[in-house]
């Protein structure tokens, strides 16, 4: 694939960053993942705002130009012969001396990765996906809230645990907080419906303030669906009428079955429920 480094298109085999880039040395970097529809990056202003806010918190002197980013994505789509694609937009701290920084990062590295979108399995959207409860807890954020950062070890270990459950092939993994509250999936935020109310875990659990999560909350509000965020237990999901997952590439994915670590299966009755279907219809 052809990718972009600091605005220049390069073949992925020749694209490199310095071993002294603090993104490599210390994980100081942020990224956003999103997709395009008819060549247009979806919810791009929201993604860039979160990226900008995070860079400011980490002392990375970087403020993206929305028009420049749109132009780069259009170039990448054309260069790779794609109409629509999965985009990962990364900002690494940049090259500095070995050792913890004493000042802000003034020369960050911008990298835009692109790849074809995964095949859309319509069966998942009509029949639902499985959700596997994991033993590994969600770690606490490094700062006051969770960055979408290069520090991804917790998610990788969660993915490794998920692979140990033979009944959970194709499932998403669900992490609880250290206090036992429902947090988020490995690559998704979680929603559920109980007594007609749409619930989602509070940011107090240390979850990522997902862009798609925010979009769904705004949609629900505009549709008059009652919303509540809070601290929930696994038992709340077991008693839910509807459960669904969201992320920027997969959109809204209903959950049909939930598994405990011992392999006990809990069925979410009825497939995608009325609120899930209503939100899905209005998503784009």
């Amino acid at each position: 694939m052809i990718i972009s480094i600091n605005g220049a298109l390069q073949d992925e085999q020749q694209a490199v960053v310095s071993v002294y880039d603090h993104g490599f040395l210390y994980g100081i970097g942020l990224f956003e993942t999103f997709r395009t529809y008819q060549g247009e990056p979806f919810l791009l202003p929201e993604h860039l705002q979160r990226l900008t806010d995070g860079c400011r918190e980490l002392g990375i002197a970087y403020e993206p130009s929305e028009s420049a980013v749109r132009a780069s994505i259009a170039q990448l789509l054309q260069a790779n012969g794609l109409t629509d694609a999965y985009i990962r937009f990364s900002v690494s701290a940049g090259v500095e001396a070995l050792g913890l920084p004493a000042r802000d990062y003034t020369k960050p590295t911008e990298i835009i990765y692109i790849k074809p979108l995964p095949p859309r399995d319509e069966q998942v959207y009509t029949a639902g996906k499985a959700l596997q409860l994991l033993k590994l807890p969600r770690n606490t954020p490094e700062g006051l809230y969770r960055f979408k950062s290069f520090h991804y070890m917790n998610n990788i270990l969660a993915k490794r645990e998920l692979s140990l459950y033979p009944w959970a092939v194709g499932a998403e993994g669900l992490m609880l907080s250290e206090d036992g509250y429902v947090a988020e999936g490995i690559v998704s935020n979680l929603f559920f419906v109980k007594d007609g109310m749409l619930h989602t875990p509070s940011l107090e659990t240390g979850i990522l303030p997902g862009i798609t999560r925010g979009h769904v909350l705004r949609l629900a509000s505009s549709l008059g669906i009652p919303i509540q965020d809070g601290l929930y237990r696994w038992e709340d999901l077991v008693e839910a009428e509807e459960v669904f997952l969201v992320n920027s590439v997969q959109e809204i994915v209903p959950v049909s079955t939930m598994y405990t670590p011992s392999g006990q299966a809990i069925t979410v009755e009825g497939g995608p429920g009325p609120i899930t279907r209503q939100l899905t219809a209005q998503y784009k």
Side-chain angles (χ1 to χ4, degrees):
M1 302 299 290
I2 305 299
I3 67 173
S4 172
I5 298 185
N6 293 327
L9 300 189
Q10 298 186 31
D11 185 271
E12 62 184 4
Q13 299 299 322
Q14 282 73 52
V16 296
V17 295
S18 170
V19 295
Y20 287 102
D21 190 303
H22 277 208
F24 170 73
L25 285 173
Y26 304 112
I28 306 299
L30 301 168
F31 70 99
E32 296 289 328
T33 54
F34 48 89
R35 60 157 295 171
T36 62
Y37 293 96
Q38 289 80 51
E40 287 293 315
F42 190 56
L43 299 176
L44 182 61
E46 289 87 345
H47 282 286
L48 294 184
Q49 187 61 58
R50 181 171 67 178
L51 184 66
T52 301
D53 292 343
C55 284
R56 188 178 299 115
E57 290 288 328
L58 294 176
I60 300 174
Y62 180 80
E63 291 195 23
S65 160
E66 183 179 337
S67 60
V69 172
R70 288 185 182 276
S72 292
I73 291 171
Q75 281 186 316
L76 283 172
L77 288 170
Q78 183 177 22
N80 288 285
L82 296 171
T83 303
D84 283 312
Y86 171 110
I87 308 292
R88 170 170 161 149
F89 192 102
S90 299
V91 176
S92 187
V95 174
E96 283 291 346
L98 190 62
L100 298 182
R103 58 184 185 279
D104 286 353
Y105 295 100
T106 59
K107 297 179 180 179
T109 304
E110 176 200 273
I111 308 172
I112 309 178
Y113 303 88
I114 187 171
K115 68 177 183 179
L117 288 165
R120 185 179 174 89
D121 184 354
E122 292 297 340
Q123 180 71 9
V124 169
Y125 294 90
T126 56
K129 187 172 188 168
L131 183 66
Q132 173 66 55
L133 177 62
L134 301 176
K135 297 176 184 177
L136 182 75
R138 190 62 167 121
N139 62 358
T140 54
E142 297 93 341
L144 295 177
Y145 60 91
R146 186 171 301 280
F147 298 116
K148 195 171 179 70
S149 77
F150 290 3
H151 291 275
Y152 228 57
M153 188 67 71
N154 194 216
N155 302 64
I156 291 169
L157 291 174
K159 187 73 172 180
R160 288 179 64 83
E161 181 187 338
L162 181 62
S163 71
L164 300 177
Y165 302 115
W167 54 79
V169 175
E172 167 67 314
L174 173 67
M175 291 180 282
L176 306 181
S177 71
E178 291 182 347
D179 296 325
Y181 294 113
V182 172
E184 61 188 338
I186 299 172
V187 293
S188 62
N189 285 124
L190 175 83
F191 288 84
F192 68 93
V193 178
K194 188 175 179 181
D195 298 327
M197 174 85 70
L198 181 64
H199 299 266
T200 193
S202 168
L203 296 182
E204 292 178 38
T205 60
I207 63 173
L208 182 75
I211 298 301
T212 306
R213 175 184 181 273
H215 179 58
V216 169
L217 287 172
R218 290 191 297 274
L219 275 180
S221 179
S222 70
L223 293 168
I225 298 170
I227 306 163
Q228 183 174 335
D229 68 344
L231 302 176
Y232 304 109
R233 300 287 185 180
W234 170 252
E235 291 73 21
D236 292 305
L237 292 187
V238 171
E239 296 170 0
E241 299 142 23
E242 304 175 43
V243 181
F244 62 88
L245 306 166
V246 303
N247 74 22
S248 294
V249 175
Q250 297 178 28
E251 304 166 347
I252 297 173
V253 181
V255 170
S256 57
T257 306
M258 300 185 294
Y259 293 106
T260 66
S262 66
Q264 179 189 3
I266 298 109
T267 301
V268 181
E269 299 294 342
I275 289 180
T276 305
R277 293 197 302 271
Q278 191 177 7
L279 290 167
T280 299
Q282 297 295 320
Y283 182 79
K284 295 191 290 294

